[in-house]
Amino acid sequence: MPKITEEIKEVASKTRGWALATATKDGIPNVVAVAFGKLISESQILLVDVFMKKTRANIEANPNVAVAVWDMETLKGYQFKGTAHFETSGEIFDEGVQIVKSTMPQLTPKAALIVDVLQIYNLTPGAEAGKEMA
């Protein structure tokens, strides 16, 4: 299983948004922008569900997801593929609530979406673009 490196963490810390791709159980794709996210370990991503409807239904039917993150200044970026699940209580949920409330206190998070990363791909323009990272 690949590990989220310090370089990937740096890119994620500078992002202004995350792209989350899901699909129905029949394979119909959906992608949404997620404003609130954080890498929480070497193999997990936290995205906060504030407005997810179709996305939530898709994940409950098909937990396979892709997430992209990038830094617009350096054009470095990464794609993560893995499985996702929701948590509505506990330490990770509380962390998600804090992330949202620190920026937009008027919003009410519904759940923490935790992505267990199984694959990482380089999205940075150049010879390594699209390459799976070990």
Side-chain angles (χ1 to χ4, degrees), residues 2-124:
K3 290 187 178 176
I4 296 170
T5 65
E6 289 303 315
E7 181 178 336
I8 295 170
K9 289 177 186 175
E10 184 175 333
V11 168
S13 73
K14 294 178 181 178
T15 193
R16 293 187 178 168
W18 305 71
L20 171 61
T22 63
T24 65
K25 67 178 183 174
D26 298 323
I28 298 170
N30 183 58
V31 66
V32 296
V34 180
F36 305 103
K38 179 181 178 181
L39 301 174
I40 56 173
S41 75
E42 291 182 343
S43 63
Q44 287 187 318
I45 301 168
L46 163 62
L47 300 174
V48 185
D49 172 7
V50 178
F51 299 111
M52 296 177 188
K53 292 179 184 151
K54 189 184 313 179
T55 299
R56 187 172 186 128
N58 284 354
I59 290 170
E60 288 172 351
N62 175 2
N64 297 304
V65 300
V67 178
V69 65
W70 58 93
D71 175 0
M72 289 303 292
E73 288 184 24
T74 63
L75 298 182
K76 288 183 180 180
Y78 299 93
Q79 179 190 66
F80 310 93
K81 292 187 180 182
T83 57
H85 69 277
F86 290 95
E87 292 186 9
T88 56
S89 64
E91 187 176 317
I92 295 174
F93 173 73
D94 292 343
E95 184 173 357
V97 170
Q98 182 179 3
I99 290 169
V100 173
K101 293 293 186 182
S102 69
T103 307
M104 300 187 80
Q106 72 275 21
L107 297 179
T108 303
K110 295 185 284 186
L113 176 63
I114 296 142
V115 178
D116 293 309
V117 175
L118 303 174
Q119 296 173 295
I120 303 173
Y121 293 87
N122 189 334
L123 297 181
T124 305

